[in-house]
Amino acid sequence: MDSRGPRPAPDRAVDAFQAQWGGEAALLVRAPGRVNLIGEHTDYNEGFVLPMAIDRAVWIALRPRKERRVAVHAVDFGGTLDFGLPTIEKGGPAWGEYVKGVAWSLIEAGHRLTGWEGVVAGDVPIGAGLSSSAALEVAAARAFAAAAGLAWEPLAMARITQRAENDWVGVPCGIMDQLVSIAGVAGHALLIDCRTLEISPVPLPAGAAVVVLDTGTRRGVAASAYQERREQCRQAARFLGAASLRDVTLQDLARASTALSQTTLRRARHVVAENERTRLAAQALQRGDAIEVGLLMNASHASLKEDFEVSSPELDAIVAASRRRPDCLGARLTGAGFGGCAVALVREGDLEGFASEVRDGYRSMTGREARITVCTPAAGAEVIRV
Ligand code: GLA
């Protein structure tokens, strides 16, 4: 299985802080990435998702400043971001837009920010569908809140960080990634109702591991295709006179099947059925029924491939390679799709054997190397004093 490399990210952040800014960091914050077990492309339809925060995170070591300027060095990307408060402008390193976007969004929400200097380091694979950008946004929000002494209100902060991504970075994502990075519970996945933002932690079943399968491909066309899917879902809901696809049933769709275009119908069918699968999966987790969760994950992948059309040959290959193993309970693409990662629920016992067989199978099908990581469910963002 893949290891994390020579030095843990928090140590890299703390050490680089000394080298960059001199002296000790006063605070260390952590915000995890996430993997979504089921409930894909449902968050922006006010539906249900079942993600978990993972033991991969973005860390920021920081020290408050008197001056109202923010200066952040990124160990993994190189480059330093430096900007004044409260007027924030675009420009500088690409990763810096996430940090500035969060500052902008916090100010828009009425918060008074203060300056700090810091170093960011992380071990969430970038662009793999594990929410490295949400982790960076939430870590930045934690850093600003800690430096300025702001109250940490999880739901408000989820909305603020989502707005940074939507309106500053310009990616029209839903609320799932930021919310689970903030509200994650160790040992649990979270059933999130994306209409009410009600969160119900559900334990992961004993004896089963969550394995992330990185295809090594990255989602080039995802931004426009994601936007297009959102629009198709909105149109379907409007046509059916519903506020969102959350309020639509499969019977409603059957009745409208001749009036809607076949594509719109398939998109809506995925969302409506996926909401149901997600609720069933949460109930199955509560009962400790890992077999049922695996079957629902398999059905989710089929629906994402056939109806929502967000899979890719590599994602299909890695899912197929996983399912060849008898210890694989279920596997599906995770995140927006088109590339990045799949997730499998695998019976514990021979996870090394699982990883090596999937790597071999995937290589023989695609000629590519997979990265395979067992992830454990982690707690949400936190401040750690150093
Ligand atoms: C991306 C978005 C999420 C969600 C998923 C698809 O990860 O950031 O809000 O829409 O795609 O489920």
Side-chain angles (χ1 to χ4, degrees), residues 187-243:
H188 293 68
L190 304 184
L191 176 67
I192 302 174
D193 178 337
C194 296
R195 170 170 277 169
T196 62
L197 299 190
E198 188 189 342
I199 298 172
S200 315
V202 282
L204 282 199
V210 173
V211 183
V212 170
L213 315 158
D214 189 345
T215 61
T217 58
R218 295 296 178 253
R219 35 178 200 175
V221 296
S224 57
Y226 185 90
Q227 181 79 299
E228 185 188 55
R229 300 296 184 285
R230 277 191 81 132
E231 186 51 31
Q232 289 164 333
C233 291
R234 208 176 58 82
Q235 277 170 9
R238 198 171 48 194
F239 184 85
L240 294 159

Side-chain angles (χ1 to χ4, degrees), residues 34 39-41 43-44 173-174 176-177 226 335-336:
R34 65 99 186 94
E40 219 63 84
H41 291 276
D43 63 349
Y44 54 81
C173 65
M176 166 169 70
D177 307 344
Y226 185 90

Side-chain angles (χ1 to χ4, degrees), residues 135-276:
L136 177 53
E137 287 154 0
V138 171
R142 259 304 195 186
F144 279 108
L150 309 180
W152 183 256
E153 291 166 14
L155 295 187
M157 287 297 173
R159 289 204 182 87
I160 285 168
T161 46
Q162 182 198 11
R163 181 159 186 223
E165 177 118 11
N166 291 167
D167 296 345
W168 185 275
V169 181
V171 176
C173 65
I175 189 98
M176 166 169 70
D177 307 344
Q178 289 81 7
L179 187 51
V180 66
S181 179
I182 288 172
V185 177
H188 293 68
L190 304 184
L191 176 67
I192 302 174
D193 178 337
C194 296
R195 170 170 277 169
T196 62
L197 299 190
E198 188 189 342
I199 298 172
S200 315
V202 282
L204 282 199
V210 173
V211 183
V212 170
L213 315 158
D214 189 345
T215 61
T217 58
R218 295 296 178 253
R219 35 178 200 175
V221 296
S224 57
Y226 185 90
Q227 181 79 299
E228 185 188 55
R229 300 296 184 285
R230 277 191 81 132
E231 186 51 31
Q232 289 164 333
C233 291
R234 208 176 58 82
Q235 277 170 9
R238 198 171 48 194
F239 184 85
L240 294 159
S244 74
L245 287 178
R246 159 67 175 271
D247 300 317
V248 170
T249 63
L250 288 175
Q251 290 73 21
D252 295 333
L253 289 180
R255 276 194 294 274
S257 62
T258 48
L260 280 169
S261 85
Q262 285 307 298
T263 305
T264 311
L265 187 65
R266 283 188 290 118
R267 302 293 187 256
R269 189 167 60 197
H270 163 73
V271 173
V272 172
E274 184 81 349
N275 277 333
E276 184 58 14

